[in-house]
Structure formats: C-alpha cells, structure tokens
Amino acid sequence: MTSITRKQEIINTAALLFKEKGFNAVSMRDLAQEMGIKAASIYNHLPSKQSILGAIIFEVSVEFTNHINSVFDESRPILQKLEAIITMHIDLTLEKSEFLACMNNDWVHLNDADKKQYIKMRNAYEEKFRTLLRQGIREKALKPIDQEIMLFSILSTLRTFYLWYAKHKMLDFEKVKRDLCTTLLTGVRS
Amino acid sequence: MTSITRKQEIINTAALLFKEKGFNAVSMRDLAQEMGIKAASIYNHLPSKQSILGAIIFEVSVEFTNHINSVFDESRPILQKLEAIITMHIDLTLEKSEFLACMNNDWVHLNDADKKQYIKMRNAYEEKFRTLLRQGIREKALKPIDQEIMLFSILSTLRTFYLWYAKHKMLDFEKVKRDLCTTLLTGVRS
DNA sequence: ATACAAAACTAACAATCGTTAGTTTTGTGA
DNA sequence: TCACAAAACTAACGATTGTTAGTTTTGTAT
C-alpha cells in the first residue's frame, strides 16, 4: 500500500502550502517542487488540484461531524458537553492545524458538488451546536442571550484558534484548555 | 474630481469581488467586467492589481488604528473602553464588511512593503489591546486569565463578525451590540 | 468651435496555469 | 531473471493571467 502513503504525503504537503499561501496561490508545480518531483507526476496519485483540496477538507470536516454527534448523544450535563466540544476543537487544532486552515479559508474553491456537501455538513454541525445551546438556556445553565450570537462567538474563536496556536507554541496544554473554556463560557470579567 | 471618484468605485467593486472569491480568484478582467469596462482601462486609474488590494486594506486598517488610539487615550473605566472598542468593530463591520473580509483573508497577498507595514500596524493594534487587558487584570476588573487567550478570543470573534453579519441581516442593532458585549465580557454561563 | 484631459478602447506580449499523452525508471514478488 | 505495477519523467496543449503600448472616444471649460 505504498500508493496510499504517497497520496497522503501529497495531500499533507498541499495542506501545508495551501495554509501559507492559499489554494489559488499554490500551483501544481509549486506542490510538485515541494515534493521533489514534477507536476505531471502528481496525477499518478490524484485526479485534479481540486480533488486535493476536497481530500484535505473532508478529512477534518468528517472528524468534526463524528465528534459532535457522539458528544451530542452522551448523557452528561450541558456544560460538560460544551467543554468536551471545545476540547475537541483544541485537540484537532494541535494535530491538524494546516487542514483546519484550508477548511476555513479555501472551502470556497471546492468544486460545486464538494462545496454543496461541505456546506451541508457545516450547517448540520452548527445546528447540533445550536440545539445544545438552546437546551442550556432552557435548563438555566446558560444566560438567556441570543443563541446565534453565542454560537457565532464561540465558533469563531474555535475556528481560528489555529492562527493563535501558530504563534504561541503551546507551553502548557492543560492550562490553555482550561483558560479557553473559562473565557468562552464565563467570560473575562471578574 | 471625478478621477478620485472613479478610482474609489473600482476599489469598492474590487473589495466586493475579493470578498466573495478571494484576491487570486478574481482577475483584472473579472473586475473590469463588473465595472462595465475593459481590463486595460483600469490601469488609467490604478497602477497594479496589488495596489488595489493595498488601497482596500489600508483604508480600514488605518481606521482601526486611529480608533483604538483615541479610545486608549481617554480617561474612562477599563470596561467602558473595552465596550467602546467592541462597538467600534461592530460599526466598521456594518459599513465596510467587504473591506474587512479582504483585510482578514487577503493581506497575505500584499506586496512585500505593504505587507510589512500592515503587520506592523496589526501588531501595534494588538499591543494596545493587550495593554488594556493587563490594566484590567491589575485593577481586578478582569479575571486573572492568560491575557493572550483573552486577547485572541475577543479579537477572533470581532474579526470574523462580518461573516455572521452577512447571514443575519441585523434586525436590532442595539441588541446585537449589547449581547455581543455581554458574551465577550461576561461569557455565556449564567 | 477648439483645446485638453479623463477615460475608454484594441491588440498584443510573455508568463504561468491545470492538465494530458506517451515514455522511461524504479521497486517488488515470483 | 523476468514480469508487472508503481511512480517518476519529457513535452506539449489550450486557456488565462497581469500588464503595456498606442489609439480613440467622451466630457468640459474657454
């Protein structure tokens, strides 16, 4: 199975380059050079440039979907569920920050079919999140604030966490997790 | 002065297109077509494609810099200053969301000189923000949480607020402002 | 009506893009 | 050693890119 490995190598390298320059600013020749081969050789492993982007994005978006679904179905207090989701975002950021960056910035450049599916998955994810927030408000665990603003505020922080991670090379992972949970859930004001 | 007006028209149109497809996915011919002219005609008003991007980005980044500087120098309680900054971000999002989108997504594609200057301004902005947070912690107005996490959490929400605004056509502006301040400062937990 | 500048045009350039076809090299198992 | 597949290569294609040069149209003030 050296083929799958080679294919995955290309995808990983592409994610790295896409993160730094953006999908459209990276040519197949750039990617090939980074791999130490010629551009045409890439097509022995993958059918198109857009398919590489698709592979990158779905690799993480599927993970997000699976994780929120399993958390959603557990029977735990709301606040613990929210903490679990936040932790999951942080974990994924640590191990696949380039993939997350691509997903955030370059999903617009997916082909029509992939884009449609991605948006569908993202909407489903947000809907699960919204449901949890609604439940939290109903149970008086959360403030009666507009759920959309809550959702947006938390998600935008989690989604761009990879930018922050790139700068601060994560000294104490457990403290970061704790502080971020505190900030997002109970705010900064004392 | 119809020249300045025409130039600004091109810049505004470019911001709109760049927001939707990204800098590299918009050709000069795309932009020209949107203006109802030919690509070459654009060069009567602006020297290059990158200069358009520069004009867009510095138009807003200068505004951000000026506003935080004036808030910084006022003598008001910390929490009021933070609220003023949040409000400023919301206001700028309302009136110039395309410009903000370009700044967030496409600053990487500035030419070297412009990019250097942009990063410098952004760092200065963040440093002022950090100083305010530090002061807030010292005065016990804010929780003794890692300042970098506070800074990142608040800024990432404010910076991507334009994404949210695009979806929810802002029914009650004052309520949105209030709820966002509450969420960012005191959190969602009741 | 004339003069002049603003702003559009046509035509083309060199470079680069994603991709294909066909061929050669490399590595592995029988 | 032979066969075969994996994975690289060369060469080229048609399209598109940002940009330039030179020319014509449009609008305005005298």
Side-chain angles (χ1 to χ4, degrees):
Chain A
M1 290 304 185
T2 125
S3 161
I4 291 179
T5 295
R6 197 70 176 134
K7 178 179 170 183
Q8 192 63 46
E9 266 184 77
I10 294 173
I11 292 171
N12 292 343
T13 306
L16 221 85
L17 295 183
F18 291 167
K19 175 193 178 179
E20 278 167 21
K21 313 200 173 203
F23 177 73
N24 273 303
V26 176
S27 70
M28 292 298 273
R29 286 166 181 83
D30 292 335
L31 173 55
Q33 192 175 36
E34 194 72 16
M35 293 285 302
I37 59 179
K38 299 289 178 178
S41 307
I42 297 176
Y43 290 85
N44 284 323
H45 306 277
L46 289 145
S48 69
K49 192 187 176 190
Q50 275 189 327
S51 77
I52 301 179
L53 183 62
I56 293 171
I57 289 180
F58 286 113
E59 182 169 326
V60 272
S61 60
V62 164
E63 257 183 284
F64 273 112
T65 298
N66 290 342
H67 280 184
I68 203 173
N69 284 344
S70 67
V71 168
F72 191 87
D73 293 335
E74 291 171 3
S75 58
R76 286 200 280 169
I78 277 290
L79 286 175
Q80 277 186 31
K81 286 189 179 181
L82 291 179
E83 281 188 20
I85 293 174
I86 293 175
T87 299
M88 180 253 290
H89 270 266
I90 297 179
D91 288 342
L92 266 176
T93 297
L94 292 194
E95 61 189 57
K96 298 189 177 182
S97 68
E98 321 87 28
F99 286 69
L100 283 186
C102 287
M103 188 172 80
N104 274 318
N105 303 324
D106 290 326
W107 64 270
V108 201
H109 303 112
L110 288 170
N111 66 49
D112 287 346
D114 280 353
K115 197 192 302 184
K116 206 170 165 181
Q117 196 191 336
Y118 168 74
I119 292 177
K120 200 171 164 184
M121 290 177 69
R122 196 184 53 182
N123 284 341
Y125 183 88
E126 291 180 1
E127 187 54 33
K128 289 260 171 182
F129 212 132
R130 222 186 321 261
T131 304
L132 287 179
L133 292 179
R134 255 197 302 264
Q135 188 187 336
I137 295 175
R138 210 183 318 117
E139 296 176 2
K140 314 266 188 203
L142 300 180
K143 293 197 183 101
I145 293 178
D146 187 318
Q147 313 143 31
E148 293 305 315
I149 290 188
M150 273 191 196
L151 178 66
F152 157 74
S153 175
I154 297 176
L155 269 187
S156 64
T157 299
L158 293 178
R159 279 176 177 156
T160 58
F161 185 60
Y162 73 92
L163 286 173
W164 188 84
Y165 170 63
K167 281 199 210 163
H168 307 74
K169 277 308 179 190
M170 198 62 59
L171 301 172
D172 184 348
F173 167 63
E174 285 304 326
K175 175 165 166 45
V176 169
K177 191 177 357 184
R178 236 175 18 241
D179 279 0
L180 194 54
C181 280
T182 306
T183 305
L184 290 180
L185 296 180
T186 75
V188 297
R189 198 161 111 188
S190 60
Chain B
M1 290 305 185
T2 125
S3 160
I4 291 178
T5 296
R6 196 71 177 134
K7 177 179 169 182
Q8 191 63 48
E9 267 184 76
I10 294 174
I11 292 171
N12 292 343
T13 306
L16 223 86
L17 294 183
F18 291 167
K19 174 193 177 178
E20 278 167 20
K21 313 201 175 200
F23 177 74
N24 273 304
V26 176
S27 70
M28 292 298 273
R29 286 166 180 83
D30 292 335
L31 173 54
Q33 192 174 36
E34 195 72 16
M35 292 287 300
I37 60 179
K38 299 289 179 179
S41 307
I42 297 176
Y43 290 85
N44 286 322
H45 306 278
L46 288 146
S48 70
K49 191 187 177 190
Q50 274 189 327
S51 77
I52 301 179
L53 183 62
I56 293 171
I57 288 179
F58 285 113
E59 182 169 326
V60 273
S61 60
V62 165
E63 257 183 286
F64 272 112
T65 298
N66 291 341
H67 280 184
I68 203 173
N69 284 344
S70 68
V71 168
F72 191 85
D73 293 335
E74 291 172 3
S75 57
R76 285 201 280 171
I78 277 290
L79 286 175
Q80 277 187 30
K81 286 189 179 184
L82 290 179
E83 281 188 18
I85 293 175
I86 293 175
T87 300
M88 182 254 290
H89 271 265
I90 297 178
D91 288 343
L92 266 176
T93 298
L94 292 194
E95 60 189 56
K96 298 190 177 180
S97 67
E98 321 88 29
F99 285 69
L100 284 186
C102 286
M103 187 171 81
N104 274 317
N105 303 323
D106 290 325
W107 65 270
V108 202
H109 303 111
L110 288 171
N111 66 50
D112 288 345
D114 281 352
K115 197 193 301 184
K116 207 170 164 182
Q117 196 191 337
Y118 168 74
I119 293 177
K120 201 172 162 183
M121 290 178 69
R122 196 185 52 182
N123 284 341
Y125 183 89
E126 291 180 1
E127 186 53 32
K128 290 259 170 182
F129 212 132
R130 223 187 320 261
T131 303
L132 286 178
L133 292 178
R134 255 197 301 265
Q135 188 188 337
I137 295 174
R138 211 182 318 117
E139 295 176 2
K140 314 268 189 203
L142 300 179
K143 293 195 182 104
I145 294 177
D146 187 317
Q147 313 142 32
E148 293 306 314
I149 290 187
M150 273 191 194
L151 178 66
F152 157 75
S153 174
I154 297 176
L155 268 187
S156 64
T157 299
L158 293 178
R159 279 177 176 154
T160 58
F161 185 60
Y162 72 93
L163 287 172
W164 189 82
Y165 171 63
K167 280 199 210 162
H168 307 74
K169 276 308 178 191
M170 198 61 60
L171 301 173
D172 185 348
F173 167 63
E174 285 304 325
K175 174 165 166 47
V176 170
K177 197 185 337 189
R178 237 174 17 241
D179 279 0
L180 194 52
C181 281
T182 306
T183 304
L184 291 180
L185 296 179
T186 75
V188 298
R189 197 159 112 188
S190 59

